[in-house]
Amino acid sequence: MEKFITHTSRAIPLPIENIDTDQIIPARFLKATNKAGFGENLFRDWRYNKDGSENESFPLNDTGYSGTILIAGDNFGCGSSREHAAWALADYGLKVIVSSYFADIFKGNALNNGLLPVQVSPGYLKELLAAVQNDPATEILVNLEEQYIAIKGSDKKEPFEIDAYKKLCLLNGYDDIDFLISKKGKIEEFELRLGSATKPY
Amino acid sequence: MKKTLFDKVWDSHVVDSVENGPQILYIDKHLIHEVTSPQAFAELEQRNIPVFRPDQIVATADHNVPTLNQHLPIQDALSRKQVEQLTENCKKHGVTLYGLGHKYQGIVHVMAPELGITQPGMTMVCGDSHTSTHGAFGTIAFGIGTSQVAQVFASQCLLLSKPKKMRINVNGKLRKGVLPKDVILYIIAKLGTNSGTGYFAEYAGDVFENMSMEGRMTVCNMSIEMGARGGMIAPDETTFAYVKGKEFAPKGSAFDKKVAYWKTLKTDEGAVFDKEYSFDAEDIAPMVTYGTNPGMGIKIDGHIPELNDISFEKSLRYMGFEKGETLLGKPINYVFIGSCTNSRIEDFRIAADYIRGKQKAANVNALIVPGSQQVAKQIEEEGLKEVFEEAGFVLRQPGCSACLAMNDDKIPAGEYCVSTSNRNFEGRQGQGARTILASPLIAAATAVKGAIAAPYEEEITVPA
């Protein structure tokens, strides 16, 4: 996995609440057996009209907006566990998703793909959205090491939480498989305990 | 220390803890299907890692399979390739597969319980958010992403921080025509779609104690729709009787020993939950959804709330509904009875009992999709097939079908579908399709009337 330390970019506002993973990547695009190319169909049914033309009013198609940070409404990534949603966002080129709330499974999937979910207060989310909507050239700075997000040029730093272990993984580009395999001995011991008379279940 | 049911199962599966970090949780059973496993197998192969415990994995094909002519090769090339890839991966890695044509094939959350693969006190995962279904057995069961599928392949474990705990109590007697589906739709409508995020839920109270295992599975299935990774119900005599004699359940004295342990899986008196809610069964009416998330539900004769909110209004625009209107009597052309929420034999018995001797309305396309080959067999053996066919319903072969419309079972754009599935998201049942979630009983009544209908009209009004 790629390392993530800090990231600065313009941002795309998507102030819709409860964006579910079916909207991020509709089920009909889940037939692939590899991880590549899902970005093409990111937000497919919002990004394109029925005739296949681009929906110009959708923020991703608004040429005024650009960048690799998406600022979305509350409860982002709810619904299906499909990791294809995280793959699609990352494949499209996004590095950070900001919201006032993330669904659990999506959050884990994003972190496992080097895509940083940044949870901010509803008030700060409004501030960020307003800043970007007023001036699409606004740059947002995300500092994972020091755990804050800020509007570039502003002194205000909004702190965000992240699991300490996950932070370490992102900063170093580690993933969970390597860690778990390094614990094989403990896992096998646990299995032996299960096989004994004290078997808990 | 007083422990909850969740604590007891979780704590007995912790292999180790990372300092200031997550815990290593041992996974007893890993269920896989064709859509969320191929990239995980590929990951392992790329890194030259073997599958650690293939005997603890069970595979089936469900999400992407046709519900017609399952004996023929799948016509859609991508779907066929995905299902073939699963077969190949299982063979290569020594994983048991109940694929198309096998007598145990079915929706992963229907077939595993009915085979006795799901047992109380276990930890179970699957690359599918509705894995919460298995919590009905007092099991910690939850959906995972494909990276985690690969982690379980590699180590039979996951790295997780222990979730918080919530309890939802429902006591009293359910009204006539109120089914487990209505109970969970009511809870989600009351609490909202993210009330459970970060939590594992326990459902408690006499309403759940008196519920069948099928009903409990319907409730736990939709835990994820309020954001909870999983939901559990303490195992009891109903659970033990269901598991007993199932194909892969322990037998004889081994079963008795298990039962003795399973009986300990109850929340201790005085154990503390991070949050707790209580509802009266009498307040629950048959429910329908009117919007594009499962929390947007109302009593079947209720009115759509009048909220001034951009996301709420966007949702109503998509559905073609107005604030303040009621859904009873809305013409409906599509009805779907199926999905991992409501495709067990009890669901079809309830629907058939209502439909028997009636005809579907001429305008309605009514699709019945059993959850598994075993359910399909029961439908035939119990004579329900005739009931459905004589009433003009179409009975298909098992799979996820129109719940997520990955196969050809799609609802056309703009059309409404009263569906027993779990998600009314935009386009979930086909591009532009509009989903109204409901119980099998409301679905059956709607199919007969050709419009949204309450099964027992005299029973729908509940005092405010």
Side-chain angles (χ1 to χ4, degrees), chain B residues 384-429:
Chain B
L384 310 184
K385 187 177 181 222
E386 287 75 23
V387 176
F388 292 130
E389 289 183 347
E390 280 165 20
F393 286 62
V394 174
L395 177 64
R396 291 287 188 84
Q397 291 172 299
C400 298
S401 180
C403 172
L404 83 167
M406 266 194 89
N407 68 0
D408 290 336
D409 305 342
K410 297 184 201 303
I411 309 303
E415 291 283 357
Y416 292 108
C417 177
V418 169
S419 175
T420 65
S421 54
N422 40 56
R423 287 187 174 137
N424 49 353
F425 297 153
E426 287 184 30
R428 173 82 178 179
Q429 297 194 284

Side-chain angles (χ1 to χ4, degrees), chain B residues 166-184:
Chain B
M166 66 194 275
R167 181 160 61 185
I168 299 169
N169 307 288
V170 186
N171 283 292
K173 193 173 178 304
L174 292 174
R175 292 163 173 272
K176 186 180 173 193
V178 174
L179 299 187
K181 182 64 165 287
D182 300 304
V183 174
I184 189 64

